[in-house]
Amino acid sequence: MAAKPGAATPTYSPKLVGSSRLPIFKDSDLDWSRPDGRGFHQCRPALLQTGAVSSASGSAYAEFGNTKVIVSVFGPRESKKAMVFSDVGRLNCNVSYTTFASPTIGQGTDHKEYSSMLHKALEGVIMMETFPKTTVDVFALVLESGGSDLSVVISCASLALADAGIMMYDLITAVSVSCIGKSLMIDPVTEEEGCEDGSFMMTCMPSRYEITQLTVTGEWTTPNINEAMQLCLDACSKLGEIMRDCLKQAASASEE
Amino acid sequence: MGLQDSSQDLSTEMEVDAFRRIFPLRFFERHLSESLRPDGRQLGKARDTIVNLGLVSTADGSALAKIGSTTMLAAIRMEVMTPSTDSPDEGCIALEFHMPPICSPTVRPGRPADAAPVISKRLSDTILSSGMIDLKELCLVSGKAAWMGYLDIYCLDADGALFDAALLSAVAAFSNLQIPVVALNDNGRIVAITGGKDQDNASITEKEAVNKEKRKLTLKNIPFSLTCILHKNYILADPTTEEESIMDTLVTVVLDSSDQMVSFYKSGGSALAYSSAIKSCVELARKRAKELNQILGEMDID
């Protein structure tokens, strides 16, 4: 009576999949309206909370539209793998998805590419010399994937690190921009990412105006890249303000 | 906070937090002798329980259950399968319990937690043997199509009593489940009928919706569980991770809404479960089942 899910019972979803909206091009005009009614240069409203997981040293929950992510930070704690003495700390990152994160049934495996990109984004901003011989583990779980997953994971991770008290040069925020035809759209949703011509993701330290990671894929013209960079820097500093407010609220709430 | 008189010199001079870390058992026993636990609860009292329904938009039914700090997120997705030949009128439920690395410092990425497959199997057994779900309700077209429900439970925060929280979230997710309305296509495939769009209705002209009425499952004999710790002659209900790590004898009692016992689980441990201890555990479980039934009842009204 119980299922043996690994065995050969193939199942299919009855939902009508694949009826995606194609952008309508009228000459050089682009007639695309964003599914959630935002302006092209408008980010989704952000919900950020620290202290989501009590068993972790620090944690944060972020909800940007339909993208929901929880990040836990453990450490600094003993490195099981490192046999060699190192006078700087180590960082270990992992990003995984739930099986219900995307509309089609997935396996919910670890996303190795995102894990390594998260590592690269964080290693520029964490002061590793403050925790020698030990490791800080940053684990992310994407509960629901609604677009711009990696940017949300990175921002949420930096909030969790701040909640854990790990020393950093600054908070980092990440924003991505999608290029469809000639228009740039900031903070794309899954539908827009599916038909984009190019994607641009930037992680920066808002107060210091320094970029820790920049990922550009697809077709881009130079003026577009410059415009995307300006958009991202602007959005990153606004997001940085929101994150600071969130941390201040959490700190004053705990004092009461 | 001063410590009461003690025969050990060391413990009178130490701070409370240090004492708690270095002599955890004595710390707890000091509290138990006053019939209290460090978080102020009575011995037989469970932590505050909250259940929220319908949080995951990509799933057909979902629930978030929190018992104290232990948080579980359960989501059900329905897919269509061909039923097996020896039970052509029955669907199927596939349950899996995951402990992602965010939930606890003991879980490492890439290596599944030790507790996860054990809890997964126990949950599966408990839910299917309690008779809460009649698999015949999952049938669409006899012999050709039936529902397969994939229930995934994720532990978001592990603070003791994982089985209780997981069972509660699974039961709540089933009560939230809305089975999508479907019809049988010309090709013999089941397709979903979406209210708004008209493009594909042309092919679904003849067959009416196969299950227009059966959108929700009827749940009878809903199981509720309570995990207790047996230590010397104390019984502690709903342990936290700290309590579970110091005292090793755990007993789980699962009762259903008509007070029948669905399962009793005690796996090893240094304390023996005499019949008096078992009776007390069942009594505590009975009270807890009433509380949980009430909490779920309040949810269903929404």
Side-chain angles (χ1 to χ4, degrees):
Chain A
M1 191 158 72
K4 300 170 266 311
T9 330
T11 59
Y12 60 89
S13 171
K15 300 198 167 79
L16 304 162
V17 194
S19 52
S20 55
R21 303 169 46 188
L22 298 170
I24 304 164
F25 291 88
K26 286 184 199 159
D27 300 322
S28 57
D29 289 339
L30 185 60
D31 185 11
W32 174 270
S33 58
R34 305 189 78 171
D36 46 3
R38 281 185 281 150
F40 281 6
H41 295 179
Q42 200 182 345
C43 288
R44 291 173 291 191
L47 173 80
L48 297 162
Q49 261 175 25
T50 54
V53 176
S54 66
S55 344
S57 315
S59 62
Y61 171 71
E63 200 176 301
F64 282 56
N66 276 339
T67 304
K68 301 174 179 133
V69 171
I70 293 189
V71 176
S72 291
V73 170
F74 294 101
R77 57 179 178 178
E78 180 200 346
S79 324
K80 299 245 169 7
K81 285 191 219 165
M83 294 296 150
V84 185
F85 173 83
S86 81
D87 52 359
V88 287
R90 291 173 33 148
L91 176 66
N92 182 24
C93 297
N94 185 270
V95 177
S96 60
Y97 277 65
T98 56
T99 53
F100 43 83
S102 50
T104 52
I105 287 206
Q107 270 298 348
T109 47
D110 295 348
H111 203 299
K112 298 250 185 317
E113 185 194 347
Y114 280 2
S115 306
S116 114
M117 288 173 79
L118 177 63
H119 190 287
K120 291 272 183 298
L122 292 176
E123 72 183 357
V125 77
I126 298 180
M127 295 165 82
M128 309 261 209
E129 36 321 322
T130 54
F131 49 92
K133 299 185 288 185
T134 53
T135 298
V136 164
D137 290 315
V138 178
F139 298 136
L141 180 69
V142 179
L143 298 173
E144 204 177 319
S145 157
S148 298
D149 298 341
L150 185 56
S151 334
V152 177
V153 167
I154 292 177
S155 309
C156 192
S158 109
L159 199 61
L161 284 164
D163 187 47
I166 308 286
M167 298 207 67
M168 299 188 282
Y169 292 108
D170 189 10
L171 287 177
I172 51 167
T173 52
V175 173
S176 55
V177 166
S178 231
C179 175
I180 300 187
K182 289 198 180 152
S183 315
L184 295 181
M185 281 169 229
I186 202 169
D187 207 10
V189 289
T190 322
E191 225 180 80
E192 292 163 348
E193 283 181 337
C195 44
E196 63 187 1
D197 294 321
S199 95
F200 178 104
M201 190 193 74
M202 180 165 88
T203 310
C204 87
M205 301 194 230
S207 323
R208 298 171 65 108
Y209 237 43
E210 288 178 8
I211 298 181
T212 65
Q213 188 187 49
L214 186 66
T215 310
V216 183
T217 64
E219 294 180 17
W220 287 91
T221 59
T222 316
N224 268 353
I225 289 194
N226 286 330
E227 194 189 334
M229 203 171 303
Q230 280 312 311
L231 276 175
C232 284
L233 281 172
D234 188 43
C236 281
S237 58
K238 293 204 181 102
L239 187 54
E241 290 298 318
I242 298 177
M243 282 167 66
R244 266 177 224 287
D245 282 338
C246 172
L247 287 170
K248 278 186 207 157
Q249 271 180 13
S252 56
S254 62
E255 272 168 31
E256 287 159 19
Chain B
M1 183 178 135
L3 298 170
Q4 279 126 20
D5 53 87
S6 148
S7 48
Q8 295 282 357
D9 294 330
L10 199 59
S11 50
T12 51
E13 291 159 9
M14 221 186 272
E15 279 185 341
V16 179
D17 282 335
F19 186 62
R20 185 177 193 155
R21 289 297 189 92
I22 304 181
F23 301 106
L25 202 51
R26 275 218 289 272
F27 178 81
F28 271 89
E29 283 177 353
R30 285 286 189 78
H31 287 79
L32 295 179
S33 59
E34 313 276 335
S35 294
L36 268 189
R37 290 145 91 168
D39 54 5
R41 283 189 281 158
Q42 300 285 325
L43 297 190
K45 190 136 182 5
R47 291 169 287 181
D48 293 335
T49 310
I50 304 174
V51 175
N52 278 326
L53 300 179
L55 300 166
V56 179
S57 50
T58 49
D60 299 308
S62 60
L64 179 82
K66 273 183 83 135
I67 299 186
S69 305
T70 303
T71 311
M72 298 279 168
L73 180 62
I76 307 180
R77 304 174 85 161
M78 305 299 276
E79 292 221 322
V80 181
M81 68 170 201
T82 348
S84 62
T85 40
D86 43 339
S87 46
D89 283 326
E90 290 185 348
C92 203
I93 307 271
L95 191 154
E96 201 173 343
F97 177 73
H98 307 256
M99 282 184 73
I102 55 163
C103 72
S104 154
T106 52
V107 182
R108 299 271 161 185
R111 296 184 58 192
D114 289 339
V118 176
I119 296 185
S120 199
K121 181 84 176 46
R122 284 171 59 196
L123 271 177
S124 197
D125 287 344
T126 306
I127 289 184
L128 291 171
S129 63
S130 67
M132 174 172 86
I133 297 185
D134 182 7
L135 292 178
K136 292 198 175 13
E137 288 192 343
L138 296 175
C139 176
L140 283 169
V141 178
S142 171
K144 297 220 182 80
W147 286 116
M148 163 81 112
Y150 289 105
L151 171 59
D152 288 296
I153 305 177
Y154 277 85
C155 178
L156 301 180
D157 193 354
D159 192 20
L162 299 180
F163 181 81
D164 297 348
L167 184 61
L168 184 61
S169 70
V171 163
F174 275 116
S175 76
N176 179 245
L177 177 63
Q178 284 270 39
I179 303 185
V181 187
V182 290
L184 190 58
N185 208 350
D186 296 340
N187 315 330
R189 264 178 89 89
I190 301 276
V191 282
I193 301 179
T194 45
K197 299 194 175 135
D198 280 353
Q199 310 128 305
D200 287 80
N201 275 353
S203 53
I204 320 180
T205 41
E206 324 86 64
K207 279 282 166 117
E208 269 278 308
V210 172
N211 61 345
K212 207 183 276 194
E213 308 87 31
K214 295 181 292 180
R215 297 298 305 283
K216 287 214 135 191
L217 295 179
T218 40
L219 305 175
K220 25 186 188 351
N221 305 338
I222 301 180
F224 297 110
S225 80
L226 179 67
T227 305
C228 303
I229 285 189
L230 301 181
H231 178 70
K232 298 192 182 160
N233 49 349
Y234 300 111
I235 299 180
L236 284 70
D238 193 23
T240 62
T241 317
E242 202 188 347
E243 292 166 352
E244 281 183 359
S245 61
I246 322 172
M247 299 175 260
D248 58 0
T249 312
L250 291 171
V251 165
T252 305
V253 179
V254 182
L255 301 175
D256 70 12
S257 27
S258 44
D259 269 354
Q260 306 272 40
M261 187 183 291
V262 175
S263 103
F264 181 90
Y265 182 87
K266 173 190 186 291
S267 64
S270 47
L272 298 174
Y274 293 104
S275 48
S276 54
I278 295 182
K279 284 199 192 117
S280 318
C281 288
V282 174
E283 251 326 292
L284 288 172
R286 201 170 280 156
K287 281 191 220 146
R288 179 70 172 152
K290 285 204 180 59
E291 278 173 33
L292 292 176
N293 211 350
Q294 200 179 19
I295 293 177
L296 272 191
E298 284 164 18
M299 288 288 119
D300 278 341
I301 295 174
D302 300 345

